[in-house]
Amino acid sequence: MIKIKFLMEKLLKKKKMNYKIIGKYINELDFNIPDPKTFFSLTKDISNYKINIDIKSNQIEKKIINVKTALKLIPIKENLQKIDTKIVFSTIIEISDKVDKKEIEKIILVKVPTEIYPQLREIFIYVFENSGFKEVKISKAVDFQKLFDLRKIQ
C-alpha cells in the first residue's frame, strides 16, 4: 500500500500543472438578428453558417494572462442574410515559474481553450436555443492541438 501511495505522489509531481485558471467570465455577448425576415431565413439556412474560433491574450501582470476565446457564427456563402452572433469568454490564468515562451504559447492556444470550450459551447447553444433555433450543431470537441500544429505549418 505504501509503494502505491509513493508512486501516485511521484506521478502527481511529474504531471504538475504549469498554469491554473484563477477566473473566467463572459467578456462579450452579441446576438443581433436585424429583422423577422433574417430570422426566418436563418432558421431555414442555419447549416449554411460555420463557427469561427479566435483566441487572443494579453498579459495583466507578470505571471497573469487573460486568454480571450471567441466563437462567432459566419455565413459560408456571401448572399446569406447577415446576423451578428459572437461570444467572447475570458479566462484568467496564472503561469507557474520557469515556463518558457513556447510552453506559454501552447497553454494559451491549446490547453486553456481545450479546458473551457465545453462551457463556452454550452453557453453559445443556450443562447441560440432560447432564441428559437433548435438545429444549431456545434462540434462537441475541437482539436486545438491539431489547429495549433496546422498554424505552425502555415
Side-chain angles (χ1 to χ4, degrees):
M1 186 70 164
I2 294 172
K3 188 175 184 178
I4 293 173
K5 185 177 177 184
F6 174 75
L7 289 172
M8 288 297 287
E9 286 174 2
K10 192 173 180 179
L11 183 63
L12 287 172
K13 283 181 184 177
K14 242 184 182 178
K15 297 251 316 158
K16 183 180 177 190
M17 296 291 286
N18 46 14
Y19 76 97
K20 77 175 177 182
I21 294 176
I22 57 175
K24 51 187 177 176
Y25 60 95
I26 298 171
N27 181 255
E28 181 182 340
L29 180 60
D30 297 329
F31 195 87
N32 182 23
I33 299 172
D35 53 46
K37 182 181 175 187
T38 304
F39 172 79
F40 288 116
S41 172
L42 187 60
T43 56
K44 293 175 188 170
D45 296 326
I46 195 78
S47 62
N48 289 320
Y49 291 79
K50 68 176 184 174
I51 292 291
N52 178 281
I53 300 172
D54 187 31
I55 302 166
K56 295 180 179 170
S57 66
N58 61 308
Q59 189 169 356
I60 299 171
E61 291 180 16
K62 185 177 179 185
K63 297 188 312 178
I64 309 292
I65 299 173
N66 183 19
V67 180
K68 292 184 176 184
T69 308
L71 289 185
K72 186 174 187 176
L73 197 64
I74 57 172
I76 296 170
K77 301 173 186 171
E78 283 193 34
N79 62 343
L80 293 174
Q81 298 287 334
K82 187 162 181 351
I83 60 167
D84 186 21
T85 58
K86 179 180 179 180
I87 183 169
V88 179
F89 197 78
S90 282
T91 309
I92 304 164
I93 60 171
E94 183 176 12
I95 302 291
S96 303
D97 293 329
K98 300 175 186 170
V99 179
D100 65 23
K101 287 189 182 237
K102 279 187 171 186
E103 185 60 24
I104 291 173
E105 182 181 31
K106 193 169 183 175
I107 290 168
I108 292 168
L109 296 175
V110 179
K111 293 180 179 181
V112 170
T114 299
E115 192 171 337
I116 61 97
Y117 178 76
Q119 184 178 6
L120 178 57
R121 178 186 177 275
E122 185 179 316
I123 296 166
F124 202 67
I125 288 174
Y126 177 83
V127 171
F128 268 94
E129 287 179 346
N130 285 280
S131 299
F133 300 97
K134 301 296 180 201
E135 296 299 317
V136 178
K137 292 185 176 37
I138 301 173
S139 298
K140 283 193 177 199
V142 174
D143 189 343
F144 287 99
Q145 180 64 54
K146 183 178 177 182
L147 295 173
F148 179 76
D149 294 341
L150 286 172
R151 182 181 149 273
K152 290 201 152 216
I153 293 170
Q154 296 173 348

